[in-house]
C-alpha cells in the first residue's frame, strides 16, 4: 500500500504543476517585449503569446522614395521582438521543464 501513497502524492504534484503552468502561460499574455531596429527608429511590441500589439515608426525614418528601407526595419524589429518573446517564454516556463528532456516544449 505504501506505493499507492507515493503514486497519489506524485499525481497531486503533477496536477499542481499543470495548474502552475497554465497560470504562467496566462500571465504571458499580459507581458510585452519591444524589438527595435535602426537605432530604435522602428519598434515592434509583442505580447508573450507572440501577438504583435504595436508598431512604432519614427517620423524621421519615413522616406517615400525608400519604402524598402522601412520594410526592412519593420521586419528586423519584428524578428527582434519575437526572439525576445522566445527568451521571455523560456525564462517563465523553463522552471517547469528544467531537468526534463521534452523535445518541442517551449
Amino acid at each position: 500500500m505504501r506505493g499507492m501513497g507515493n503514486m497519489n502524492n506524485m499525481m497531486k504534484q503533477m496536477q499542481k504543476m499543470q495548474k502552475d503552468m497554465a497560470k504562467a502561460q496566462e500571465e504571458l499574455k499580459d507581458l510585452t517585449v519591444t524589438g527595435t531596429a535602426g537605432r530604435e527608429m522602428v519598434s515592434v511590441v509583442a505580447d508573450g503569446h507572440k501577438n504583435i500589439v504595436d508598431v512604432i515608426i519614427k517620423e524621421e525614418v519615413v522616406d517615400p522614395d525608400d519604402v524598402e528601407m522601412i520594410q526592412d526595419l519593420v521586419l528586423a524589429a519584428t524578428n527582434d521582438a519575437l526572439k525576445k518573446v522566445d527568451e521571455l517564454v523560456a525564462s517563465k516556463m523553463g522552471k517547469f521543464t528544467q531537468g526534463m528532456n521534452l523535445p518541442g516544449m517551449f
Side-chain angles (χ1 to χ4, degrees), residues 10-26:
M10 194 163 101
M11 291 300 290
K12 285 180 184 178
Q13 287 177 335
M14 289 297 290
Q15 288 173 340
K16 181 183 181 324
M17 187 173 92
Q18 284 179 319
K19 283 182 184 178
D20 291 346
M21 282 178 69
K23 181 181 177 193
Q25 285 177 320
E26 184 65 22

Side-chain angles (χ1 to χ4, degrees), residues 29-106:
K29 76 174 174 138
D30 296 325
L31 300 176
T32 60
V33 297
T34 302
T36 61
R39 293 187 221 153
E40 299 185 3
M41 296 301 282
V42 173
S43 300
V44 172
V45 181
D47 68 17
H49 288 172
K50 290 191 174 183
N51 295 308
I52 304 302
V53 295
D54 201 3
V55 176
I56 301 112
I57 301 172
K58 292 195 176 173
E59 190 175 307
E60 52 268 27
V61 78
V62 177
D63 178 356
D65 295 326
D66 195 2
V67 173
E68 190 173 306
M69 180 189 64
I70 296 171
Q71 292 169 336
D72 290 344
L73 290 172
V74 170
L75 182 62
T78 301
N79 287 330
D80 186 42
L82 294 178
K83 178 181 169 220
K84 288 178 179 178
V85 171
D86 287 340
E87 293 167 357
L88 176 68
V89 170
S91 72
K92 189 94 170 146
M93 302 303 290
K95 62 186 169 193
F96 298 110
T97 58
Q98 192 172 25
M100 294 184 225
N101 187 11
L102 301 174
M105 290 292 291
F106 314 108

